[in-house]
Amino acid sequence: MFQLYANKTQLTVRAREPLTSGSVNAYEARFEFSPDWEGLTKTAVFKAGNEVRSVLLGADGQCTIPWEVLSSHGRQLTAGICGTRGTDMVLPTVWASLGTILEGAAPGENARPPTPDLWEQELAGKADGMKLDDLTLRLLSGTETIAEVELPPAGGGEGGTSDHRSLTGRDAGNQHPIAAITGLGETLETIPRPMTADELRKILLGGTKHAHK
């Protein structure tokens, strides 16, 4: 594990290990902070060559080094921290070297899921529920709505239909093709928590496509 300490803008590496190219979810980095960082939202930034990836840090100050910055050998991997408090304060550190990436004995390029963007990480950390109100699908954090999508009305638009009884799961001919799915509301309430941004995207896109069939 890599262990680093941020003393205001200075970032010091206290422990390191060899890095190999092609590694995925293989290296953890733990950051500790001086009192200057209290109350700030902390983002770890990793860079190798032109490849840069950012990871939001939780309360434990620990994260996995993104595989994208380890894709090629012979490059130096550096890390930095950026702290923010709303729009009032930004505190970046200098870059600290984690070492040169050595060539790994990887058999070849495999399909890997991309590291989520910061907005996806934030969304995944805040969302804990969904609710369908008529034609509005809402993403909730507790009782607060943090995102919503309006579904098109039944029969509206080119290619629409006003009778959905022939479609699987519909229980009324004049209902919206999404709202009319039997048990949809109850199903949304039982979606496993926490729900990732990718899972939300699939639900929203899937619902939108279904609504136009």
Side-chain angles (χ1 to χ4, degrees):
M1 175 182 288
F2 290 87
Q3 297 182 12
L4 301 95
Y5 180 72
N7 184 10
K8 199 167 185 178
T9 60
Q10 296 300 310
L11 186 61
T12 304
V13 181
R14 291 180 167 177
R16 70 180 74 219
E17 58 183 310
L19 296 158
T20 53
S21 61
S23 299
V24 180
N25 297 327
Y27 302 104
E28 296 291 316
R30 178 181 294 164
F31 298 86
E32 296 181 350
F33 300 88
S34 65
D36 309 275
W37 290 81
E38 186 174 352
L40 299 183
T41 298
K42 306 171 186 70
T43 301
V45 186
F46 299 93
K47 180 175 69 170
N50 294 324
E51 197 70 52
V52 181
R53 287 292 184 274
S54 301
V55 183
L56 284 174
L57 295 180
D60 61 358
Q62 186 169 320
C63 69
T64 300
I65 297 178
W67 65 264
E68 290 94 338
V69 296
L70 299 169
S71 59
S72 299
H73 65 276
R75 303 186 299 186
Q76 185 178 84
L77 177 64
T78 56
I81 294 289
C82 185
T84 58
R85 183 166 56 229
T87 58
D88 300 328
M89 181 178 182
V90 179
L91 179 62
T93 69
V94 297
W95 292 102
S97 175
L98 301 185
T100 300
I101 303 171
L102 306 174
E103 183 175 5
E109 185 69 20
N110 296 318
R112 305 181 182 99
T115 299
D117 289 333
L118 287 179
W119 73 268
E120 295 177 292
Q121 297 174 43
E122 291 180 354
L123 183 60
K126 294 177 180 178
D128 58 13
M130 294 181 67
K131 184 178 181 182
L132 182 66
D133 289 332
D134 194 17
L135 300 182
T136 303
L137 185 61
R138 292 188 170 90
L139 178 65
L140 305 176
S141 176
T143 59
E144 180 183 357
T145 298
I146 60 175
E148 64 181 43
V149 59
E150 294 294 328
L151 304 176
E158 184 179 352
T161 176
S162 59
D163 189 343
H164 306 290
R165 286 172 293 186
S166 61
L167 302 178
T168 303
R170 275 53 171 180
D171 55 11
N174 60 351
Q175 283 184 295
H176 186 275
I178 293 297
I181 299 177
T182 304
L184 177 60
E186 292 80 0
T187 300
L188 292 176
E189 294 296 332
T190 59
I191 291 176
R193 309 294 188 269
M195 180 181 59
T196 67
D198 186 56
E199 291 170 331
L200 171 63
R201 185 189 300 109
K202 290 179 181 178
I203 291 173
L204 295 181
L205 292 180
T208 302
K209 291 178 181 178
H210 211 166
H212 289 84
K213 287 184 178 179

